[in-house]
Amino acid sequence: MSDLTKIPVTVITGFLGSGKTTLIRHLMQNPQGKRLAVLVNEFGTVGVDGDILKSCADENCPAENIVELANGCICCTVADDFIPTIEALMAMPVRPDHILIETSGLALPKPLLKAFDWPAIRSRITVDGVVALADAEAVAAGRFAPDVAAVDAQRAADDSIDHETPLSEVFEDQISCADIVLLSKADLAGEAGLAAARAVIEAEAPRRLPILPMTDGVIDPRVILGLNAAAEDDLAARPSHHDGHDDHEHDDFESVVIDLPEVADIADLVARVQTLARDQKILRVKGYVAVSGKPMRLLLQAVGERVRHQFDRSWGQTPRQSRLVVIAEHDDIDEAAIRAVLGA
């Protein structure tokens, strides 16, 4: 790549727990001969996704090419965080051939696309494409909103209400900005669930989009890389709920970090996390857990009541500390109640 060639960037967006990190791991393992760099933005101070990706670093995407921006929305911190990070990646002794950006599940992609018009980088970088992930099973069940039936009933009962829930707006903005949509966890959704999720997305999309099923993050990289969309020059075709606003707020959402003692019973912890989703409308839980008698750390990730966990690696020199990030809409965060349920 010559110094005059623009570096392509793929923005990977999608709601909480849709499988963005799993997809990037797959791309890192199948780089198509490209040297990759990855920028990860998380909501919350515990960098779970960045840590997962760094454990997969290799010569095609070394650890120094994986940068994490935690505890701040990437589209709200363009000048302070995003631009300097991109400049640092482009200034590396060996420039990456392609940059992957994983936004947080709460980020709006369009403000990020606007950042690519900044004078410092616009001549050196381009948005190859925006890939939106949607959890097929969750979307089919309407779980991108905390309680769709209650919202619809309230709107029907009050003619003055003419707005979507915050979660719906995030979901719709991500779909509207996409060049391609991947229906993740297709194996859990089944054919009927995939059809239902596809119908929801087609109804929300402002234009026809490729919508493809995906399981465990596996998809041919050639399908989503090399789109040449130049999305930063195509903003008018990507409508947003926040068009016309200079900025946007993430006060609708909040995260808390919960430290736990060592866990003796994994099934009990899973049940507690499911209780949080069911009784307190918690959207997302992720983090690492120390399990009594086990030298490996337990990676736990939950979307609503669906909880997945696996031992990912030895604690090594890292302190054995159980720590979970809990994310919900602002009014649903009750830290004392969360701690009580988790036994913290």
Side-chain angles (χ1 to χ4, degrees), residues 77-315:
T77 59
V78 169
D80 294 335
D81 293 325
F82 174 68
I83 298 296
T85 300
I86 290 294
E87 289 183 312
L89 288 174
M90 291 189 294
M92 299 186 76
V94 181
R95 291 204 312 170
D97 298 314
H98 202 115
I99 299 174
L100 308 175
I101 297 179
E102 177 185 344
T103 72
S104 83
L106 303 177
L108 303 175
K110 190 167 182 177
L112 178 58
L113 295 188
K114 292 179 180 178
F116 285 85
D117 195 41
W118 278 56
I121 63 172
R122 64 186 176 190
S123 65
R124 297 186 289 163
I125 202 164
T126 183
V127 183
D128 180 69
V130 179
V131 179
L133 272 64
D135 183 317
E137 184 185 39
V139 171
R143 289 204 301 268
F144 55 86
D147 190 338
V148 175
V151 172
D152 287 343
Q154 186 178 22
R155 182 178 295 115
D158 188 345
D159 292 337
S160 68
I161 296 177
D162 188 27
H163 59 79
E164 298 294 323
T165 65
L167 295 183
S168 292
E169 289 190 4
V170 171
F171 175 80
E172 291 162 11
D173 276 16
Q174 291 172 346
I175 297 300
S176 294
C177 209
D179 293 292
I180 189 168
V181 177
L182 302 180
L183 293 176
S184 62
K185 304 173 187 175
D187 56 327
L188 299 178
E191 289 302 320
L194 286 172
R198 184 183 298 272
V200 170
I201 291 167
E202 288 176 343
E204 297 294 352
R207 60 195 183 283
R208 287 184 62 85
L209 294 173
I211 304 174
L212 304 175
M214 179 180 68
T215 296
D216 293 331
V218 176
I219 192 166
D220 190 329
R222 294 172 298 178
V223 175
I224 60 174
L225 302 183
L227 299 179
N228 298 314
E232 69 274 18
D233 297 328
D234 189 34
L235 295 179
R238 305 166 192 264
S240 165
H241 285 280
H242 296 80
D243 284 342
H245 295 269
D246 292 332
D247 54 22
H248 65 279
E249 299 295 335
H250 285 280
D251 293 341
D252 297 317
F253 304 97
E254 189 172 339
S255 69
V256 295
V257 177
I258 306 296
D259 290 328
L260 300 172
E262 286 201 4
V263 171
D265 187 339
I266 298 174
D268 177 66
L269 177 62
V270 169
R272 291 171 183 267
V273 171
Q274 291 172 329
T275 296
L276 286 178
R278 184 171 56 251
D279 296 346
Q280 297 189 42
K281 298 182 180 178
I282 298 302
L283 302 172
R284 186 85 160 95
V285 178
K286 58 183 179 179
Y288 300 109
V289 179
V291 180
S292 300
K294 301 291 185 180
M296 305 281 285
R297 70 180 187 183
L298 185 76
L299 169 64
L300 183 145
Q301 302 206 60
V303 182
E305 292 188 56
R306 189 170 68 234
V307 184
R308 290 187 172 185
H309 57 82
Q310 67 185 68
F311 289 102
D312 70 333
R313 67 171 177 83
S314 171
W315 287 98

